[in-house]
Amino acid sequence: MTDLSFIKPECLWELGGTLLEGACWDAAASVLWFVDIKKKHIHGFNPATGARDTWNTPDQPGFVLPRASGGLVVGMPFGLYHFAPETGSFTRLTSVEADRVGNRLNDGFTDATGRVWFGSMDDGEKADSGAFYHWTGGDPVRVLDGICITNGPATSPDGKILYHTDTLGQTLYAADIQADGSIANRRVFAKIGKDEGYPDGMAVDAEGCVWTGLFFGWGIRRYAPDGTLLGFVRFPVSSITKLAFGGPDLKTVYATTANKGLSAQQLAEQPLAGGLFTFQSPVAGLPPAKVRA
């Protein structure tokens, strides 16, 4: 086990967010981007200047990813959109799941080639209507179907393995990425115990280890490339939704959290729930990429 028990995450921004998600480090701008799905917000935090910016979105944003040509790509119900922070404007790039009216987009990730991986889910969190896609421009390509809550796309350092999460199934999966972007040999990477929380967003570090936030699980787990549990970072709030490695050395971890589903008593006991947190990792993350399309 890697000793991570000494780490004490600190709250950077007390947002009281309902469902913060999509933490994504923009190295060029030195900005941490993330969303509040239920409040329909995009947030940007600059740790160097302390600047905190918030924009309203026309629908529930599942993720936000920096784009090589400028601006950001935002996943919202039924489409991927270009977002221009300087004007606050949204322009549709492509349609997604126009036929699945109860769905919304959830977590997303840009791999080292600039390809976007993202998932959809049943907004009511009941039907197995969610799917996984990749996108490099044009129409998104569906690579997996039949999951209720999709989460956590990330890739191994060599770009050959896709990791993703079936949140309600409490299972993390690994699959081999083929030359055409399809996936093969999908297998169980790790299982979360019945009373240990629900795996949410993830990130991979420079050693190839997988870090995953736990909804109702009070922290973040770190797994070895073979799926062995290596360590746990405990948080003062119960639901951690996504993490990103950032900062000049990629050792600053930023983590989004949520207060969704908490009772009045639980909210009183977790006053920082729904905030943006940070801690220093002993291991660096992988360099973030920008969307090439």
Side-chain angles (χ1 to χ4, degrees):
M1 291 281 285
T2 304
D3 183 16
L4 302 177
S5 63
F6 66 92
I7 296 175
K8 306 298 180 187
E10 298 180 0
C11 188
L12 280 174
W13 192 350
E14 296 182 29
L15 281 157
T18 304
L19 187 55
L20 300 187
E21 251 288 8
C24 178
W25 178 247
D26 184 340
S30 296
V31 170
L32 189 281
W33 299 101
F34 60 105
V35 301
D36 188 328
I37 296 173
K38 294 304 178 182
K39 290 187 176 180
K40 301 179 184 178
H41 288 157
I42 292 173
H43 297 293
F45 174 72
N46 186 318
T49 66
R52 304 176 181 187
D53 297 298
T54 300
W55 296 264
N56 295 320
T57 62
D59 210 330
Q60 297 182 92
F63 60 85
V64 57
L65 301 169
R67 200 176 183 194
S69 59
L72 302 109
V73 173
V74 183
M76 290 188 289
F78 315 126
L80 301 180
Y81 293 78
H82 173 81
F83 171 60
E86 62 274 12
T87 63
S89 64
F90 293 84
T91 305
R92 186 191 289 263
L93 296 168
T94 187
S95 176
V96 184
E97 291 192 345
D99 59 330
R100 300 190 182 190
V101 295
N103 275 11
R104 65 169 174 83
L105 300 192
N106 200 32
D107 207 356
F109 164 78
T110 308
D111 70 19
T113 72
R115 173 173 47 194
V116 176
W117 297 88
F118 67 94
S120 64
M121 62 172 281
D122 172 29
D123 197 30
E125 302 182 7
K126 294 180 180 179
D128 290 337
S129 57
F132 268 107
Y133 300 83
H134 67 69
W135 182 71
T136 54
D139 295 329
V141 178
R142 187 178 297 162
V143 296
L144 185 65
D145 210 345
I147 298 175
C148 182
I149 301 179
T150 61
N151 248 312
T155 54
S156 58
D158 62 8
K160 294 181 179 180
I161 299 173
L162 174 73
Y163 298 102
H164 77 88
T165 300
D166 175 353
T167 295
L168 288 187
Q170 295 179 288
T171 305
L172 285 71
Y173 289 93
D176 299 330
I177 301 174
Q178 307 300 291
D180 63 356
S182 62
I183 60 173
N185 188 29
R186 179 172 175 255
R187 64 263 185 199
V188 172
F189 175 74
K191 292 280 289 185
I192 307 297
K194 183 176 182 296
D195 299 316
E196 296 175 342
Y198 296 87
D200 209 309
M202 63 172 67
V204 176
D205 66 29
E207 295 180 353
C209 295
V210 177
W211 301 59
T212 183
L214 296 176
F215 207 96
F216 295 145
W218 292 94
I220 292 173
R221 287 186 173 190
R222 182 180 187 239
Y223 290 92
D226 66 358
T228 301
L229 178 61
L230 295 177
F232 180 74
V233 178
R234 184 170 179 83
F235 276 63
V237 297
S238 61
S239 296
I240 293 77
T241 58
K242 179 82 171 184
L243 70 145
F245 290 88
D249 59 0
L250 296 177
K251 288 187 175 181
T252 300
V253 173
Y254 297 97
T256 50
T257 68
N259 64 29
K260 181 178 181 289
L262 298 182
S263 66
Q265 179 177 340
Q266 289 171 323
L267 285 170
E269 295 169 347
Q270 302 177 44
L272 299 178
L276 175 67
F277 283 77
T278 189
F279 62 86
Q280 292 299 306
S281 167
V283 181
L286 296 173
K290 291 196 174 187
V291 180
R292 76 169 186 260

